[in-house]
Amino acid sequence: MQTEPMESNEGRTPQTKIDLALWRKLWVFAMRYKRWVWLLAFFAMSTGGFDAALPWVTKNVVDDLVNPALSPDLVTYGGIYLGLSLGLALSVFGFLSCGARLRTGVGHDIRQAGFEKLQELSFSYFDKRPVGWLMARMTSDCERLTNILVWGLLNIVWGSTIMFGVTIWMLIVDWRLALVMLCVVPVLAWVSSYFQKRILASSRIVRKTNSRITAAFNESIMGVRTTKSFVREDQNLSEFSGLAGEMHGASVRNALQSAVYLPIVMVIASLAYALTLGVGGQRVMNHVIPLGTLVMFLQYCRLFFDPAQELAQLFAEMQMAQASAERVVGLIEAEPEIRDSEAVQQQIERFRRRDVQAADLAVDGLPAAVGAIEFKNVSFEYKGGQKVLTDFNLKVNPGETIALVGQTGGGKSTILSLLSRFYEPTSGTIEIGGVDYRERSLNWLQSNLGVVLQAPQLFSGTLAENIRYGDLSASDEQIQAAAKLVGADEFIAELADGYDTEVGEGGNKLSTGQKQLISFARAILAAPQILVMDEATSSIDTETEGRIQKALGQVLDGRTSFVIAHRLSTIREAHRILVIEHGSIVESGTHGELLLQRGRYHALYTQQSLRENARDEREWRSSEPLAE
Ligand SMILES: Nc1ncnc2c1ncn2[C@@H]1O[C@H](COP(=O)(O)OP(=O)(O)OP(=O)(O)O)[C@@H](O)[C@H]1O
Ligand SMILES: [Mg+2]
């Protein structure tokens, strides 16, 4: 249920310091849109200016009105007032549209940076971070930060223009009355910071609970079949009710706090108003200031406390959003653990500059052909896990087909992940063509690698697009040929839209076996030098599988391949079969050799054959025509 284990900041009292270095990193994203930032600041300032200018017109009108010697030109004043109001309206329009544009741009860029990083990061990054957590980073955190960056900038510029301008102007006009009005500011500041922190803390709990509720919905929708078959509905429901209750409590608290805060601020503002009215009224009666000045001060009093509130809220929000900022910057700045080393990057650069076009050389200037692959004393453990491989040794010659079999959890998939450099050995080396693969280009290795997995990953789009993933330049004919080769064309032909059928998100409109066939076609199209198949045919019927085997035999003749299969009948033809147990090779040889040894493989194989024969016999009997 706990979907956000990485939120180490959640639940902690909010940080009271604003980490400027962190915000500056995000600010860089806004500065890509310098023009819009300046425009936004300009409009925010002019809005503040117009806001502050209107009471000044009122003051002049009032002063003229109460002076019997003058007859005020009301039409001119009306015109000025109208002009200023129009200016205000235009400024508001200006900052709203700039803000929206800036927000869209910055939001897009931050997401883009995060998305690019996700493509680049190594598998170990994802082992530690649940998908739900990453999704939240890319959606809600980004959204919050973008909002704060843009509307924060606006509020700061607008608010400080008004507060600063009004304060200076009031001090010039009548500094004593100005100080009387401003004496409530410290009280307001204290009350605001007290309440804002609490309001945001409870709204944070609301948000956190909300994301857990979303996760609970998600899990229960995804797992609806399992839930039903295990009759777990009641338990799930009670867990959910607990969450919903928590959410309710926090929401009520949040609403109450807001309900108390606003009236208090109103009282403080009214207090300032009353003080100004009292002291100012006295000064008017004593003829120290004209009536118009008092009216202007009273209007400024209203004008002053709006931005003060906004800024208090913004400041508290920034403290809270700092956790989001840390997470987003953390993701954007994460370094992939597996990448080309400095030396390799320089080597690639040097080779690129020499500008030699040789088909038999890779980007790093070393042979493009994948030679012999050798695991030398490889040990490996997942981060925070126990040792999976210890001093593992294996040499595979080019063109060899190696099958890995053995008990579940033995380390077969791990061996292939290491080979694919999804992970690197903790100690020892893996050499390709006699060179440690860490001294070669990562891109060279992975682009020569075809991987077909038990749970194949398809992407939203058509069948043809999913096959073309293997080779973007492939023609429709080549795609169809690849599909035909693996026997996928039969089921495709039965679909109304054929190759243009949409496969749905993650290919969920296809059966697992169909997905496996498509990912096979994709691998065949890419014609990689090394083919890695992890339980790739587990959901395909035996007949189709036989056809795929034959197809692979043709296409991958001369290429190195690694096959993991629990169904042993499928790997009989492998050049070498390795039985893996607890991360070591316990037996090795061809199918015939291993059967003769009468060891682990023999035991596994005979058990499976017995089971299969028994099943075949049952099926045969049930399909026998009844005796006439
Ligand atoms: N991402 C991971 N993080 C931590 N431990 C892992 C991870 N993947 C696998 N392991 C552990 O490594 C060991 C070997 O797993 P591996 O997947 O290599 O086994 P396998 O032989 O492929 O098993 P199976 O036949 O069930 O696919 C297991 O004990 C497993 O718990
Ligand atoms: Mg496995």
Side-chain angles (χ1 to χ4, degrees):
M1 257 321 164
Q2 181 67 33
T3 53
E4 303 210 338
M6 309 301 296
E7 307 238 348
S8 54
N9 282 308
E10 295 285 351
R12 221 163 63 185
T13 44
Q15 292 156 302
T16 43
K17 281 232 182 69
I18 298 251
D19 181 354
L20 280 181
L22 186 69
W23 288 100
R24 218 172 290 135
K25 282 176 191 157
L26 287 168
W27 184 242
V28 171
F29 283 97
M31 285 321 272
R32 288 191 195 166
Y33 297 88
K34 263 205 188 94
R35 201 158 58 101
W36 294 109
V37 169
W38 286 123
L39 266 178
L40 182 75
F42 169 77
F43 283 122
M45 224 174 241
S46 64
T47 306
F50 284 120
D51 270 336
L54 288 172
W56 176 77
V57 180
T58 315
K59 167 197 152 58
N60 286 306
V61 176
V62 173
D63 282 347
D64 287 4
L65 278 174
V66 294
N67 192 341
L70 288 173
S71 62
D73 181 359
L74 286 180
V75 176
T76 309
Y77 279 129
I80 295 177
Y81 207 91
L82 193 68
L84 288 176
S85 304
L86 275 180
L88 181 64
L90 278 179
S91 300
V92 171
F93 169 76
F95 80 61
L96 282 180
S97 47
C98 285
R101 216 168 268 234
L102 194 57
R103 204 176 62 119
T104 323
V106 173
H108 168 268
D109 287 3
I110 294 181
R111 281 198 188 91
Q112 178 86 21
F115 191 81
E116 275 167 18
K117 189 55 78 160
L118 287 179
Q119 311 287 307
E120 207 182 303
L121 284 167
S122 316
F123 277 54
S124 52
Y125 188 86
F126 298 98
D127 285 347
K128 284 180 286 181
R129 293 164 183 83
V131 175
W133 184 84
L134 286 167
M135 298 282 282
R137 298 299 69 80
M138 299 314 297
T139 52
S140 60
D141 276 347
C142 276
E143 185 72 26
R144 260 173 98 192
L145 291 179
T146 324
N147 271 331
I148 282 213
L149 278 178
V150 174
W151 301 130
L153 168 73
L154 174 75
N155 272 330
I156 287 174
V157 177
W158 167 75
S160 44
T161 309
I162 289 191
M163 290 171 73
F164 190 72
V166 164
T167 307
I168 299 286
W169 184 233
M170 288 194 304
L171 286 172
I172 291 174
V173 174
D174 181 359
W175 65 269
R176 287 191 188 82
L177 189 56
L179 287 184
V180 167
M181 191 194 109
L182 294 175
C183 73
V184 298
V185 169
V187 184
L188 178 76
W190 183 81
V191 168
S192 290
S193 87
Y194 180 88
F195 274 97
Q196 289 297 347
K197 263 184 210 158
R198 275 161 186 75
I199 290 174
L200 279 160
S202 58
S203 63
R204 185 182 228 203
I205 296 176
V206 174
R207 240 196 344 261
K208 197 179 159 197
T209 323
N210 187 36
S211 75
R212 285 170 62 192
I213 287 182
T214 317
F217 266 125
N218 190 16
E219 267 191 352
S220 81
I221 294 168
M222 306 290 278
V224 66
R225 289 199 179 85
T226 317
T227 308
K228 288 223 183 292
S229 61
F230 283 95
V231 202
R232 284 257 315 182
E233 289 101 320
D234 286 346
Q235 188 159 349
N236 283 7
L237 203 59
S238 81
E239 279 174 20
F240 187 82
S241 307
L243 276 177
E246 220 173 286
M247 169 114 168
H248 179 252
S251 304
V252 169
R253 209 161 45 240
N254 183 260
L256 273 180
Q257 284 162 340
S258 303
V260 175
Y261 171 68
L262 256 181
I264 291 185
V265 170
M266 281 164 71
V267 167
I268 296 175
S270 300
L271 192 69
Y273 198 85
L275 278 173
T276 315
L277 192 61
V279 177
Q282 201 71 42
R283 292 169 77 75
V284 172
M285 285 195 285
N286 296 342
H287 301 289
V288 184
I289 52 168
L291 178 63
T293 304
L294 175 61
V295 173
M296 182 178 78
F297 265 72
L298 289 175
Q299 290 196 346
Y300 279 155
C301 189
R302 289 247 178 277
L303 202 56
F304 187 87
F305 289 99
D306 273 353
Q309 256 183 77
E310 296 270 348
L311 288 182
Q313 193 179 340
L314 176 74
F315 191 69
E317 260 172 27
M318 270 182 86
Q319 290 169 2
M320 289 294 176
Q322 203 142 293
S324 298
E326 270 164 21
R327 289 186 296 248
V328 169
V329 170
L331 170 64
I332 291 171
E333 290 190 338
E335 287 289 332
E337 279 173 44
I338 297 175
R339 59 191 300 190
D340 287 334
S341 66
E342 286 290 321
V344 172
Q345 285 176 27
Q346 282 167 12
Q347 196 178 324
I348 293 173
E349 185 54 34
R350 266 201 307 278
F351 185 66
R352 198 181 59 78
R353 264 195 251 118
R354 274 175 42 201
D355 202 27
V356 272
Q357 296 289 328
D360 55 348
L361 292 183
V363 283
D364 52 10
L366 293 169
V370 173
I373 299 172
E374 190 167 10
F375 284 66
K376 280 187 172 168
N377 299 323
V378 169
S379 296
F380 178 76
E381 61 197 53
Y382 290 98
K383 284 232 169 64
Q386 65 212 54
K387 252 198 170 144
V388 181
L389 300 184
T390 315
D391 282 331
F392 182 83
N393 287 293
L394 171 68
K395 180 159 185 194
V396 178
N397 293 315
E400 239 187 321
T401 300
I402 302 289
L404 306 173
V405 301
Q407 51 183 207
T408 193
K412 304 178 293 292
S413 300
T414 306
I415 293 170
L416 298 194
S417 292
L418 284 169
L419 167 79
S420 313
R421 213 175 152 193
F422 296 149
Y423 297 88
E424 287 175 351
T426 331
S427 71
T429 52
I430 297 177
E431 291 180 0
I432 298 179
V435 181
D436 183 346
Y437 74 176
R438 281 174 286 206
E439 290 162 21
R440 302 272 339 236
S441 143
L442 183 61
N443 183 277
W444 161 76
L445 173 64
Q446 291 183 343
S447 60
N448 280 300
L449 196 72
V451 181
V452 190
L453 301 174
Q454 179 174 25
Q457 187 59 47
L458 299 194
F459 300 93
S460 312
T462 64
L463 281 170
E465 283 164 359
N466 269 287
I467 300 176
R468 188 172 277 128
Y469 209 81
D471 174 8
L472 294 180
S473 63
S475 66
D476 288 351
E477 288 69 37
Q478 284 171 308
I479 286 175
Q480 284 168 20
K484 195 166 255 157
L485 213 51
V486 300
D489 61 327
E490 281 171 22
F491 91 83
I492 297 175
E494 282 170 20
L495 298 168
D497 293 331
Y499 284 86
D500 295 326
T501 307
E502 291 285 335
V503 300
E505 181 187 338
N508 61 11
K509 290 189 192 155
L510 301 180
S511 76
T512 310
Q514 289 169 337
K515 280 194 262 185
Q516 286 182 343
L517 289 179
I518 297 300
S519 75
F520 252 109
R522 183 197 279 169
I524 283 187
L525 193 67
Q529 295 194 55
I530 313 173
L531 187 77
V532 169
M533 287 173 281
D534 191 346
E535 294 287 343
T537 50
S538 56
S539 302
I540 295 172
D541 63 83
T542 332
E543 196 188 324
T544 315
E545 185 180 0
R547 212 166 43 214
I548 292 179
Q549 295 268 317
K550 238 199 253 141
L552 282 177
Q554 289 171 28
V555 176
L556 296 173
D557 192 26
R559 298 172 210 271
T560 315
S561 47
F562 293 80
V563 189
I564 298 178
H566 277 126
R567 212 192 286 162
L568 299 182
S569 55
T570 62
I571 46 135
R572 263 186 306 217
E573 308 298 324
H575 296 128
R576 208 162 7 136
I577 297 171
L578 311 175
V579 182
I580 308 287
E581 273 176 20
H582 304 298
S584 326
I585 303 173
V586 292
E587 278 175 25
S588 154
T590 61
H591 175 71
E593 287 164 6
L594 290 181
L595 281 187
L596 281 177
Q597 276 185 24
R598 298 197 155 261
R600 309 287 297 153
Y601 183 79
H602 179 263
L604 282 172
Y605 189 77
T606 41
Q607 268 168 19
Q608 264 193 12
S609 309
L610 279 178
R611 267 205 309 273
E612 268 166 29
N613 285 344
R615 198 190 57 214
D616 287 350
E617 195 165 335
R618 266 200 315 277
E619 277 169 10
W620 179 72
R621 275 186 199 290
S622 63
S623 63
E624 224 175 354
L626 292 175
E628 281 157 51

